[in-house]
Amino acid sequence: MYLDDRSFTTSALTAAAGCEPMTFRTWRNRNGLFPETAGGRKWKRFTVVDVCIVRAIVAMTAHGLSASHAIGFAQDNLRFEFERLLTGERDTSLVGFFIGGVQNDELIAFADDEGNSKVAKTRDRPESPCSFIFLEDGASLSETLSKTKGILTIIDLKAQAKHVLAALGPVEA
């Protein structure tokens, strides 16, 4: 795959990512998607990586994740993954998510609703709304699935990037 310096309009981004324009605007206005491009009167331009991020958000929300959680995770964690895939630094990348926390007896530190630090067994802490994991191999998949409540959604970021590149069309020489 490749990472190039093309830039895309909002309409090209939404078409390639499979996102309705109104949904994209809502995500930007309500959920802070791509805050670095907000404001001003100029037309907004987006990179291939931005399109890949929106495609991943579309997939996550289609599989039950709230827009705010999907956007927060994608913006904070997927940009670098997509860049590595598109430049060839990484050959594959799987990310999984599931609703709720993990089921095990490991001690974990967390902040309660008032911001106080607490330590408790994972199964005794308040359930998080969703959990994310990068899967490196089959063993991590099996281990992760055993800790979930039976449902784990896995997204192949490489397949997502290929989908976006195909939708955006060939690079002109």
Side-chain angles (χ1 to χ4, degrees):
M1 286 196 285
Y2 61 91
L3 182 60
D4 59 58
D5 59 356
R6 293 182 293 169
S7 63
F8 304 93
T9 63
T10 300
S11 61
L13 176 144
T14 56
C19 181
E20 291 294 325
M22 187 61 164
T23 301
F24 180 71
R25 281 191 295 277
T26 300
W27 288 348
R28 288 184 45 83
N29 296 332
R30 189 177 300 160
N31 302 105
L33 179 60
F34 303 134
E36 67 279 5
T37 63
R41 295 199 174 271
K42 295 170 70 174
W43 289 99
K44 308 300 183 262
R45 303 294 288 185
F46 300 94
T47 66
V48 171
V49 173
D50 294 333
V51 181
C52 289
I53 288 170
V54 173
R55 180 73 190 125
I57 294 168
V58 168
M60 287 186 278
T61 57
H63 286 89
L65 201 57
S66 72
S68 62
H69 289 115
I71 290 166
F73 175 73
Q75 287 195 139
D76 295 343
N77 299 284
L78 295 185
R79 181 170 298 282
F80 183 62
E81 288 298 313
F82 279 120
E83 287 172 355
R84 290 175 58 199
L85 284 167
L86 291 166
T87 58
E89 287 181 49
R90 188 170 177 92
D91 186 46
T92 186
S93 186
L94 301 175
V95 62
F97 69 89
F98 51 96
I99 307 302
V102 296
Q103 302 180 105
N104 63 31
D105 289 331
E106 295 174 15
L107 287 177
I108 189 166
F110 67 96
D112 65 14
D113 292 337
E114 284 111 37
N116 301 315
S117 293
K118 304 274 185 178
V119 175
K121 289 184 177 181
T122 304
R123 67 181 170 163
D124 296 332
R125 78 169 254 214
E127 188 171 282
S128 62
C130 58
S131 301
F132 297 90
I133 185 164
F134 285 96
L135 301 162
E136 298 299 327
D137 55 34
S140 65
L141 172 60
S142 176
E143 180 182 332
T144 301
L145 191 53
S146 72
K147 294 178 181 179
T148 70
K149 294 179 180 171
I151 299 174
L152 173 66
T153 301
I154 300 169
I155 298 173
D156 181 344
L157 298 179
K158 184 176 184 177
Q160 297 260 297
K162 283 183 176 181
H163 169 90
V164 164
L165 291 174
L168 291 174
V171 177
E172 295 179 17

